[in-house]
Amino acid sequence: MARQELAARGLASMTIRQVARSVGVDPGTIRHYFPSKDDLVHAAAGADIELSEVYDQIAAELSDQSGEGVGDALIAAALRYLCEEESALAAVAVCLTGGDYESTVFGLFDRDVVTPLARDLASGDSQERSALVMSAFLGFQLLATLLPALQHTLRDEDVQAILAESIERHLRAG
């Protein structure tokens, strides 16, 4: 429910009281588990998955150190783990309202999957490369959030066709 409130209201407007009201509990109950609004937001926008396993799976799928196919593998993982509707909307809301990107599902995916892949595949600044990749993911999710018809029109294969080549180029460039 906190994810829905965060997505609907944004970080600045969401309150613990509103979240408590929406689930029918006393605000003190929420504060017992989440002492601050930041704690609640981090839990709401965070990942419910073990991302090191995602990195290991993608790295194992790559045929060699050239990284050929990394764009497709990364998009497939992103579609599985980043685009779960409530987490993605909460993460977009956090990012748009100046919240803590590192604690969102996008920030965690960046830290635990994209940056290590960038480090493995190319010389140069892996953080710069991962920032390019994550801006593509976040931009696409923002577009899908603002244009819901887009979300229902595009298939996963369409998203891969749109993003995979540029993501692979960002990760593999030397």
Side-chain angles (χ1 to χ4, degrees):
M1 194 51 78
R3 287 179 181 165
Q4 291 170 338
E5 289 290 326
L6 183 58
R9 301 179 188 282
L11 184 63
S13 298
M14 185 190 87
T15 67
I16 288 179
R17 220 175 270 266
Q18 290 167 333
V19 172
R21 189 176 321 125
S22 67
V23 294
V25 299
D26 186 82
T29 303
I30 302 271
R31 288 188 196 283
H32 174 75
Y33 295 99
F34 306 100
S36 72
K37 179 177 165 180
D38 282 345
D39 293 329
L40 180 60
V41 168
H42 290 188
D48 298 328
I49 55 172
E50 185 57 49
L51 290 170
S52 62
E53 292 174 14
V54 175
Y55 165 77
D56 292 341
Q57 185 178 36
I58 292 171
E61 287 177 21
L62 299 178
S63 58
D64 56 36
Q65 284 302 102
S66 74
E68 189 171 329
V70 70
D72 285 326
L74 200 51
I75 293 293
L79 288 169
R80 281 193 306 270
Y81 300 110
L82 294 184
C83 297
E84 184 274 309
E85 191 172 357
E86 288 181 358
S87 291
L89 289 175
V92 168
V94 167
C95 293
L96 289 177
T97 56
D100 181 16
Y101 166 80
E102 284 79 20
S103 68
T104 69
V105 67
F106 285 90
L108 298 171
F109 193 82
D110 183 359
R111 181 194 72 200
D112 295 344
V113 178
V114 178
T115 298
L117 282 171
R119 199 171 326 145
D120 291 350
L121 295 173
S123 60
D125 189 350
S126 59
Q127 290 202 301
E128 181 179 309
R129 294 181 187 293
S130 69
L132 289 168
V133 170
M134 293 311 296
S135 67
F137 286 143
L138 194 55
F140 188 81
Q141 187 60 49
L142 176 60
L143 187 61
T145 301
L146 295 175
L147 301 170
L150 180 66
Q151 242 174 0
H152 302 294
T153 305
L154 289 177
R155 300 172 317 218
D156 289 356
E157 300 82 37
D158 298 326
V159 175
Q160 281 189 286
I162 293 167
L163 294 177
E165 186 179 328
S166 65
I167 285 173
E168 189 162 318
R169 191 172 46 249
H170 292 319
L171 287 174
R172 293 176 59 195

